[in-house]
Amino acid sequence: DFVMTQTPLSSPVTLGQPASISCRSSQSLVHSDGNTYLSWLQQRPGQPPRLLIYKVSNRFSGVPDRFSGSGAGTDFTLKISRVEAEDVGVYYCMQTTHFPLTFGQGTKVDIK
Amino acid sequence: QVQLVESGGGVAQPGKSLRLSCAASGFIFSRHAMHWVRQAPGKGLEWVAVIWDDGSSKFYPDSVKGRFTISRDNSKNTLYLQINNLRADDTAMYYCGKDESAAGTSFVASWGQGTLVIVSS
């Protein structure tokens, strides 16, 4: 299986400060069609997941521009430029390039 | 706007079966692959099934293969998940998700609110 490893697993952040989450895949996520199907999801407490970023760096409709994604191959990063109170939750990377589809373990972001 | 509403969860005994449903609206259901993803209490997300837009292909992880069956009725805009021989570790919130691809997987753009399955004697 394609193992997705996120670091850190917990990230206490001061309001207004940046946060960064890393996601590493055990194998390349480049699809045979040339795309890299790596997404970032946010799950606020008691809520379903919500898509933030798709195909590594594309911000989904309605997602604030303080969220950005980057990376290639096996190493990917989600950055929040200035954390706001509503950003508290768990963040997951998800690969949809290879079966079985897999998620990272999740990174909990909370306010210091 | 896109709406996905899951139903069919509840408390069931080990060894029994359950069928979950996901009613879709706000988009052309028959043009999108659809997923089921589950989340055990306090745990992370686990993908459990995908079906192509026309139902021609279905994929599962080994952990559920043989017990879970995904299906869809495009005339009713509804996705299903049949779970047989329920086990305690099937206890989870089950979410349906809409893929942006028709046949294949690209990204899951929309998620339902989930339906809770509890397996207990």
Side-chain angles (χ1 to χ4, degrees):
Chain A
D1 289 5
F2 289 77
V3 177
M4 307 295 286
T5 303
Q6 286 183 231
T7 54
L9 297 183
S10 179
S11 180
V13 185
T14 302
L15 285 173
Q17 292 301 301
S20 181
I21 301 170
S22 171
C23 176
R24 179 166 290 179
S25 172
S26 58
Q27 297 182 56
S28 173
L29 297 184
V30 179
H31 194 276
S32 56
D33 66 6
N35 288 305
T36 299
Y37 295 108
L38 186 283
S39 303
W40 288 96
L41 308 169
Q42 175 195 60
Q43 189 173 32
R44 291 171 172 150
Q47 295 296 311
R50 168 198 178 200
L51 178 67
L52 296 177
I53 303 287
Y54 64 94
K55 289 196 285 185
V56 181
S57 59
N58 296 275
R59 205 175 301 114
F60 190 58
S61 174
V63 174
D65 60 7
R66 64 180 180 275
F67 291 94
S68 64
S70 63
T74 60
D75 289 290
F76 307 93
T77 302
L78 175 71
K79 291 184 178 174
I80 311 174
S81 59
R82 295 172 306 280
V83 171
E84 298 188 5
E86 66 178 19
D87 300 336
V88 166
V90 180
Y91 291 78
Y92 296 92
C93 57
M94 176 187 187
Q95 70 83 16
T96 47
T97 296
H98 305 288
F99 287 118
L101 310 186
T102 47
F103 295 88
Q105 317 98 299
T107 295
K108 185 175 182 179
V109 172
D110 58 11
I111 307 301
K112 276 183 188 174
Chain B
Q1 75 279 22
V2 174
Q3 266 208 307
L4 299 170
V5 180
E6 301 93 336
S7 60
V11 181
Q13 293 180 327
K16 299 295 188 182
S17 298
L18 267 183
R19 189 175 83 156
L20 309 182
S21 300
C22 169
S25 60
F27 65 101
I28 302 174
F29 181 71
S30 61
R31 293 186 183 176
H32 290 268
M34 296 293 295
H35 300 264
W36 286 100
V37 170
R38 69 181 178 181
Q39 186 171 36
K43 302 296 184 183
L45 300 167
E46 180 189 15
W47 171 77
V48 296
V50 67
I51 185 169
W52 277 192
D53 58 337
D54 60 0
S56 60
S57 289
K58 307 171 186 182
F59 297 90
Y60 311 88
D62 287 346
S63 58
V64 306
K65 204 174 290 183
R67 291 195 306 119
F68 285 28
T69 303
I70 189 172
S71 61
R72 63 192 297 160
D73 185 337
N74 285 346
S75 69
K76 295 182 179 178
N77 290 346
T78 303
L79 176 73
Y80 302 101
L81 184 69
Q82 177 76 29
I83 308 175
N84 295 330
N85 191 20
L86 280 160
R87 308 187 315 209
D89 62 358
D90 293 324
T91 294
M93 185 72 81
Y94 284 76
Y95 298 102
C96 66
K98 165 183 165 279
D99 200 287
E100 285 306 289
S101 285
T105 56
S106 57
F107 56 94
V108 185
S110 303
W111 299 74
Q113 292 293 316
T115 187
L116 182 61
V117 172
I118 298 172
V119 182
S120 173
S121 53

